[in-house]
């Protein structure tokens, strides 16, 4: 099982979502920024590294929002979603094709990766 850390970054009532680039697994679907943990890395460390690499920002993890286990055809993931605050920079599309801040109500207009759909569902229930 692949361990993954993802960021729930809020701006008032909106949360940040990122669109996967064409040519990658789950191409053009929307997701929460993040990625797999490297050997010896904690979830929080992976979150900080992935946000720096993918978005060009510095973040501060602020606790676990939820965990999701999902089996894709090619890999099963255990995704830990952390609340995170941007401490430096403005998100840039270094890895993704688009970045948006949306409300939970707007989320139904976006095609999310299946694992991320559970996170959106929880956000809608808050």
């Amino acid at each position: 099982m692949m361990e993954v850390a993802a960021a729930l970054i809020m701006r008032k009532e909106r949360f940040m979502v990122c669109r996967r680039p064409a040519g990658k697994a789950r191409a053009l679907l929307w997701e929460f920024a993040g990625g797999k943990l490297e050997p010896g890395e904690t979830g929080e460390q992976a979150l900080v590294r992935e946000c720096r690499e993918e978005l060009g920002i510095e973040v501060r993890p602020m606790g676990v929002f939820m965990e999701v286990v999902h089996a894709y055809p090619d890999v099963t993931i255990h995704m830990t979603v952390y609340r995170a605050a941007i401490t430096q920079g403005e998100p840039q599309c270094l890895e993704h094709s688009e970045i948006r801040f949306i409300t939970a109500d707007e989320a139904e207009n976006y095609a999310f990766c299946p694992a991320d759909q559970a996170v959106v569902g929880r956000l809608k229930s808050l």
Side-chain angles (χ1 to χ4, degrees):
M1 184 173 317
M2 180 187 297
E3 293 292 327
V4 174
L8 173 59
I9 298 173
M10 303 291 297
R11 283 197 176 154
K12 298 189 180 182
E13 76 284 348
R14 297 178 177 274
F15 55 90
M16 187 180 74
V17 294
C18 304
R19 194 171 197 189
R20 293 180 63 81
K24 283 206 164 188
R26 291 159 283 290
L28 304 178
L29 294 178
W30 292 85
E31 67 179 1
F32 293 88
K36 65 183 175 184
L37 276 65
E38 304 219 339
E41 205 172 38
T42 67
E44 290 91 345
Q45 290 168 333
L47 185 77
V48 169
R49 177 183 51 75
E50 288 284 349
C51 287
R52 186 179 300 130
E53 292 173 0
E54 291 185 357
L55 303 168
I57 60 174
E58 296 297 324
V59 299
R60 178 174 30 94
M62 299 169 28
V64 174
F65 177 70
M66 71 181 292
E67 297 181 44
V68 177
V69 174
H70 184 81
Y72 287 106
D74 57 327
V75 65
T76 297
I77 68 165
H78 171 238
M79 179 171 71
T80 304
V81 182
Y82 295 89
R83 292 180 189 272
I86 298 172
T87 59
Q88 187 176 352
E90 185 63 27
Q92 306 167 54
C93 290
L94 302 177
E95 175 78 20
H96 297 91
S97 61
E98 293 181 66
I99 299 170
R100 294 190 185 166
F101 282 85
I102 65 171
T103 66
D105 289 339
E106 293 169 337
E108 65 191 37
N109 301 317
Y110 292 77
F112 281 89
C113 293
D116 297 85
Q117 289 173 6
V119 183
V120 171
R122 175 141 185 239
L123 286 165
K124 285 181 178 181
S125 71
L126 297 178

